[in-house]
Amino acid sequence: MRRVDGGVGVSVSGLRHAYRSPTGPLPILDGVGFEVAPGGYCVLMGPSGSGKSTLLGLVGGLDRVQSGSVRVGSADLSSLAGDALAAYRRETVGFVFQHFGLLDSLTAAENVELACALAGVPAAARRTHAADLLAAVGLGDRTRHRPSHLSGGERQRVAMARALANGPSLLLADEPTGNLDEGSAEAVIRLLESFHDDRGCTLLVVTHNRALARRAAQRLRLVAGRVVPE
Ligand SMILES: Nc1ncnc2c1ncn2[C@@H]1O[C@H](COP(=O)(O)OP(=O)(O)OP(=O)(O)O)[C@@H](O)[C@H]1O
Ligand SMILES: [Mg+2]
């Protein structure tokens, strides 16, 4: 695995975001500001529908910044679009989606390999790398399973292996322990923390899980469109 020498800092200020709806603009973020230090471990909490996934998607470059500023390391996301935003996602960010986002037409190994392929890793190297990553998350004996033939916790770990495939310096995880039993949740938390500790990446996790939240160095809460310290 490629070792990351220190994560990137995240700096968000005056961030506003609205979705289009049949009844007009639906404001979700209303001047969000916060900072996560390079290599920091930050948890974001808040009620369902408050905009946590929206915020994570903006920091991860999944959606365009409409108003305000999002800086990650030296990148100013409000000025990135198209290929530059795709390169940012590929080279800087590892994203663990709330609903996994795995392709069921591919095996666990192929899901991880796909991320490496997008980064231009040659076929033989990406096969070895995917196998190593899946072994690291305890799924060395499930590499040829399709996601629908894996348990929820196993899918979550495949999603983590994929998020780590290109050695991200920012790891974003959206409710990684949602729908997991206590034991699986603990295993997933430990994995996230080991990647953060061993590889130095910055970790930003959305969670409703209080046990996970207590372990982070920094806790934030999103309420009424704003981020406040927890
Ligand atoms: N593409 C979209 N178009 C219109 N409205 C959207 C869209 N995506 C999200 N929303 C709305 O924005 C609000 C925030 O959604 P978001 O998914 O960010 O919340 P969340 O805090 O992650 O919630 P949860 O804890 O349930 O995952 C919700 O009210 C949702 O209905
Ligand atoms: Mg969400």
PDB file of all heavy atoms in Angstrom, residues 13-18 28-32 58 64-69 225-226:
ATOM      1  N   SER A  13     -15.359  27.612   4.558  1.00  0.00           N
ATOM      2  CA  SER A  13     -15.912  28.846   5.124  1.00  0.00           C
ATOM      3  C   SER A  13     -17.045  29.406   4.266  1.00  0.00           C
ATOM      4  O   SER A  13     -17.017  29.314   3.034  1.00  0.00           O
ATOM      5  CB  SER A  13     -14.827  29.904   5.333  1.00  0.00           C
ATOM      6  OG  SER A  13     -14.484  30.485   4.133  1.00  0.00           O
ATOM      7  N   GLY A  14     -18.045  29.921   4.961  1.00  0.00           N
ATOM      8  CA  GLY A  14     -19.198  30.561   4.292  1.00  0.00           C
ATOM      9  C   GLY A  14     -19.871  29.676   3.269  1.00  0.00           C
ATOM     10  O   GLY A  14     -20.422  30.180   2.287  1.00  0.00           O
ATOM     11  N   LEU A  15     -19.880  28.376   3.504  1.00  0.00           N
ATOM     12  CA  LEU A  15     -20.399  27.441   2.496  1.00  0.00           C
ATOM     13  C   LEU A  15     -21.927  27.380   2.549  1.00  0.00           C
ATOM     14  O   LEU A  15     -22.522  27.085   3.586  1.00  0.00           O
ATOM     15  CB  LEU A  15     -19.808  26.042   2.740  1.00  0.00           C
ATOM     16  CG  LEU A  15     -20.215  24.957   1.741  1.00  0.00           C
ATOM     17  CD1 LEU A  15     -19.694  25.264   0.336  1.00  0.00           C
ATOM     18  CD2 LEU A  15     -19.683  23.585   2.199  1.00  0.00           C
ATOM     19  N   ARG A  16     -22.522  27.695   1.398  1.00  0.00           N
ATOM     20  CA  ARG A  16     -23.990  27.603   1.262  1.00  0.00           C
ATOM     21  C   ARG A  16     -24.298  26.613   0.168  1.00  0.00           C
ATOM     22  O   ARG A  16     -23.572  26.534  -0.823  1.00  0.00           O
ATOM     23  CB  ARG A  16     -24.587  28.965   0.881  1.00  0.00           C
ATOM     24  CG  ARG A  16     -24.472  29.958   1.988  1.00  0.00           C
ATOM     25  CD  ARG A  16     -24.874  31.371   1.570  1.00  0.00           C
ATOM     26  NE  ARG A  16     -24.333  32.285   2.555  1.00  0.00           N
ATOM     27  CZ  ARG A  16     -24.887  32.520   3.733  1.00  0.00           C
ATOM     28  NH1 ARG A  16     -26.037  31.956   4.044  1.00  0.00           N
ATOM     29  NH2 ARG A  16     -24.326  33.305   4.612  1.00  0.00           N
ATOM     30  N   HIS A  17     -25.363  25.869   0.366  1.00  0.00           N
ATOM     31  CA  HIS A  17     -25.762  24.922  -0.686  1.00  0.00           C
ATOM     32  C   HIS A  17     -27.271  24.761  -0.674  1.00  0.00           C
ATOM     33  O   HIS A  17     -27.881  24.584   0.382  1.00  0.00           O
ATOM     34  CB  HIS A  17     -25.098  23.555  -0.468  1.00  0.00           C
ATOM     35  CG  HIS A  17     -25.125  22.680  -1.685  1.00  0.00           C
ATOM     36  ND1 HIS A  17     -24.190  22.794  -2.707  1.00  0.00           N
ATOM     37  CD2 HIS A  17     -25.974  21.712  -2.077  1.00  0.00           C
ATOM     38  CE1 HIS A  17     -24.468  21.920  -3.664  1.00  0.00           C
ATOM     39  NE2 HIS A  17     -25.551  21.245  -3.305  1.00  0.00           N
ATOM     40  N   ALA A  18     -27.852  24.826  -1.858  1.00  0.00           N
ATOM     41  CA  ALA A  18     -29.304  24.631  -1.994  1.00  0.00           C
ATOM     42  C   ALA A  18     -29.553  23.630  -3.107  1.00  0.00           C
ATOM     43  O   ALA A  18     -28.816  23.609  -4.105  1.00  0.00           O
ATOM     44  CB  ALA A  18     -29.982  25.955  -2.316  1.00  0.00           C
ATOM     45  N   ILE A  28     -29.936  24.087   2.186  1.00  0.00           N
ATOM     46  CA  ILE A  28     -29.527  23.031   3.128  1.00  0.00           C
ATOM     47  C   ILE A  28     -28.368  23.535   4.007  1.00  0.00           C
ATOM     48  O   ILE A  28     -28.438  23.440   5.227  1.00  0.00           O
ATOM     49  CB  ILE A  28     -29.079  21.755   2.377  1.00  0.00           C
ATOM     50  CG1 ILE A  28     -30.200  21.247   1.468  1.00  0.00           C
ATOM     51  CG2 ILE A  28     -28.641  20.665   3.360  1.00  0.00           C
ATOM     52  CD1 ILE A  28     -31.456  20.792   2.176  1.00  0.00           C
ATOM     53  N   LEU A  29     -27.330  24.067   3.375  1.00  0.00           N
ATOM     54  CA  LEU A  29     -26.192  24.595   4.141  1.00  0.00           C
ATOM     55  C   LEU A  29     -26.256  26.113   4.071  1.00  0.00           C
ATOM     56  O   LEU A  29     -26.426  26.696   2.999  1.00  0.00           O
ATOM     57  CB  LEU A  29     -24.869  24.079   3.564  1.00  0.00           C
ATOM     58  CG  LEU A  29     -24.738  22.549   3.469  1.00  0.00           C
ATOM     59  CD1 LEU A  29     -23.380  22.167   2.865  1.00  0.00           C
ATOM     60  CD2 LEU A  29     -24.923  21.882   4.825  1.00  0.00           C
ATOM     61  N   ASP A  30     -26.093  26.738   5.233  1.00  0.00           N
ATOM     62  CA  ASP A  30     -26.359  28.171   5.323  1.00  0.00           C
ATOM     63  C   ASP A  30     -25.186  28.892   5.996  1.00  0.00           C
ATOM     64  O   ASP A  30     -25.318  29.421   7.087  1.00  0.00           O
ATOM     65  CB  ASP A  30     -27.671  28.359   6.124  1.00  0.00           C
ATOM     66  CG  ASP A  30     -28.035  29.813   6.280  1.00  0.00           C
ATOM     67  OD1 ASP A  30     -27.651  30.624   5.424  1.00  0.00           O
ATOM     68  OD2 ASP A  30     -28.696  30.141   7.280  1.00  0.00           O
ATOM     69  N   GLY A  31     -24.019  28.798   5.346  1.00  0.00           N
ATOM     70  CA  GLY A  31     -22.841  29.470   5.908  1.00  0.00           C
ATOM     71  C   GLY A  31     -22.069  28.553   6.833  1.00  0.00           C
ATOM     72  O   GLY A  31     -21.796  28.892   7.983  1.00  0.00           O
ATOM     73  N   VAL A  32     -21.692  27.376   6.304  1.00  0.00           N
ATOM     74  CA  VAL A  32     -20.937  26.397   7.101  1.00  0.00           C
ATOM     75  C   VAL A  32     -19.454  26.770   7.117  1.00  0.00           C
ATOM     76  O   VAL A  32     -18.880  27.113   6.081  1.00  0.00           O
ATOM     77  CB  VAL A  32     -21.115  24.977   6.499  1.00  0.00           C
ATOM     78  CG1 VAL A  32     -20.037  24.019   7.009  1.00  0.00           C
ATOM     79  CG2 VAL A  32     -22.505  24.438   6.820  1.00  0.00           C
ATOM     80  N   LEU A  58     -19.555  17.702  -0.899  1.00  0.00           N
ATOM     81  CA  LEU A  58     -18.896  18.930  -1.367  1.00  0.00           C
ATOM     82  C   LEU A  58     -17.401  18.884  -1.051  1.00  0.00           C
ATOM     83  O   LEU A  58     -16.571  19.239  -1.886  1.00  0.00           O
ATOM     84  CB  LEU A  58     -19.552  20.155  -0.710  1.00  0.00           C
ATOM     85  CG  LEU A  58     -20.950  20.477  -1.259  1.00  0.00           C
ATOM     86  CD1 LEU A  58     -21.698  21.413  -0.316  1.00  0.00           C
ATOM     87  CD2 LEU A  58     -20.843  21.107  -2.650  1.00  0.00           C
ATOM     88  N   ARG A  64     -20.466  20.342  -7.066  1.00  0.00           N
ATOM     89  CA  ARG A  64     -19.801  21.640  -7.232  1.00  0.00           C
ATOM     90  C   ARG A  64     -20.176  22.586  -6.093  1.00  0.00           C
ATOM     91  O   ARG A  64     -21.316  22.616  -5.647  1.00  0.00           O
ATOM     92  CB  ARG A  64     -20.245  22.297  -8.550  1.00  0.00           C
ATOM     93  CG  ARG A  64     -19.773  21.603  -9.816  1.00  0.00           C
ATOM     94  CD  ARG A  64     -18.274  21.757 -10.064  1.00  0.00           C
ATOM     95  NE  ARG A  64     -17.799  23.129  -9.934  1.00  0.00           N
ATOM     96  CZ  ARG A  64     -17.849  24.030 -10.908  1.00  0.00           C
ATOM     97  NH1 ARG A  64     -18.353  23.713 -12.073  1.00  0.00           N
ATOM     98  NH2 ARG A  64     -17.387  25.250 -10.720  1.00  0.00           N
ATOM     99  N   VAL A  65     -19.174  23.349  -5.651  1.00  0.00           N
ATOM    100  CA  VAL A  65     -19.424  24.382  -4.643  1.00  0.00           C
ATOM    101  C   VAL A  65     -20.231  25.502  -5.292  1.00  0.00           C
ATOM    102  O   VAL A  65     -19.840  26.039  -6.322  1.00  0.00           O
ATOM    103  CB  VAL A  65     -18.078  24.932  -4.106  1.00  0.00           C
ATOM    104  CG1 VAL A  65     -18.303  26.129  -3.186  1.00  0.00           C
ATOM    105  CG2 VAL A  65     -17.308  23.837  -3.388  1.00  0.00           C
ATOM    106  N   GLN A  66     -21.358  25.833  -4.695  1.00  0.00           N
ATOM    107  CA  GLN A  66     -22.211  26.902  -5.249  1.00  0.00           C
ATOM    108  C   GLN A  66     -21.797  28.269  -4.721  1.00  0.00           C
ATOM    109  O   GLN A  66     -21.755  29.247  -5.448  1.00  0.00           O
ATOM    110  CB  GLN A  66     -23.684  26.657  -4.862  1.00  0.00           C
ATOM    111  CG  GLN A  66     -24.274  25.398  -5.471  1.00  0.00           C
ATOM    112  CD  GLN A  66     -25.654  25.075  -4.905  1.00  0.00           C
ATOM    113  OE1 GLN A  66     -26.092  25.638  -3.897  1.00  0.00           O
ATOM    114  NE2 GLN A  66     -26.341  24.142  -5.556  1.00  0.00           N
ATOM    115  N   SER A  67     -21.502  28.312  -3.431  1.00  0.00           N
ATOM    116  CA  SER A  67     -21.181  29.596  -2.806  1.00  0.00           C
ATOM    117  C   SER A  67     -20.368  29.336  -1.543  1.00  0.00           C
ATOM    118  O   SER A  67     -20.669  28.413  -0.797  1.00  0.00           O
ATOM    119  CB  SER A  67     -22.498  30.309  -2.475  1.00  0.00           C
ATOM    120  OG  SER A  67     -22.290  31.338  -1.575  1.00  0.00           O
ATOM    121  N   GLY A  68     -19.333  30.158  -1.333  1.00  0.00           N
ATOM    122  CA  GLY A  68     -18.446  29.946  -0.195  1.00  0.00           C
ATOM    123  C   GLY A  68     -17.192  29.225  -0.645  1.00  0.00           C
ATOM    124  O   GLY A  68     -16.951  29.077  -1.841  1.00  0.00           O
ATOM    125  N   SER A  69     -16.390  28.787   0.320  1.00  0.00           N
ATOM    126  CA  SER A  69     -15.096  28.223  -0.044  1.00  0.00           C
ATOM    127  C   SER A  69     -14.835  26.887   0.655  1.00  0.00           C
ATOM    128  O   SER A  69     -15.169  26.705   1.822  1.00  0.00           O
ATOM    129  CB  SER A  69     -14.036  29.284   0.296  1.00  0.00           C
ATOM    130  OG  SER A  69     -12.906  28.713   0.825  1.00  0.00           O
ATOM    131  N   GLY A 225     -28.319  24.184   9.236  1.00  0.00           N
ATOM    132  CA  GLY A 225     -27.477  24.687   8.150  1.00  0.00           C
ATOM    133  C   GLY A 225     -26.113  25.191   8.564  1.00  0.00           C
ATOM    134  O   GLY A 225     -25.357  25.682   7.733  1.00  0.00           O
ATOM    135  N   ARG A 226     -25.794  25.078   9.860  1.00  0.00           N
ATOM    136  CA  ARG A 226     -24.483  25.553  10.344  1.00  0.00           C
ATOM    137  C   ARG A 226     -23.747  24.456  11.090  1.00  0.00           C
ATOM    138  O   ARG A 226     -24.400  23.599  11.704  1.00  0.00           O
ATOM    139  CB  ARG A 226     -24.676  26.717  11.330  1.00  0.00           C
ATOM    140  CG  ARG A 226     -25.436  27.884  10.770  1.00  0.00           C
ATOM    141  CD  ARG A 226     -24.451  28.908  10.263  1.00  0.00           C
ATOM    142  NE  ARG A 226     -25.169  29.991   9.662  1.00  0.00           N
ATOM    143  CZ  ARG A 226     -24.910  31.275   9.930  1.00  0.00           C
ATOM    144  NH1 ARG A 226     -23.975  31.579  10.805  1.00  0.00           N
ATOM    145  NH2 ARG A 226     -25.563  32.207   9.326  1.00  0.00           N
TER     146      ARG A 226
END
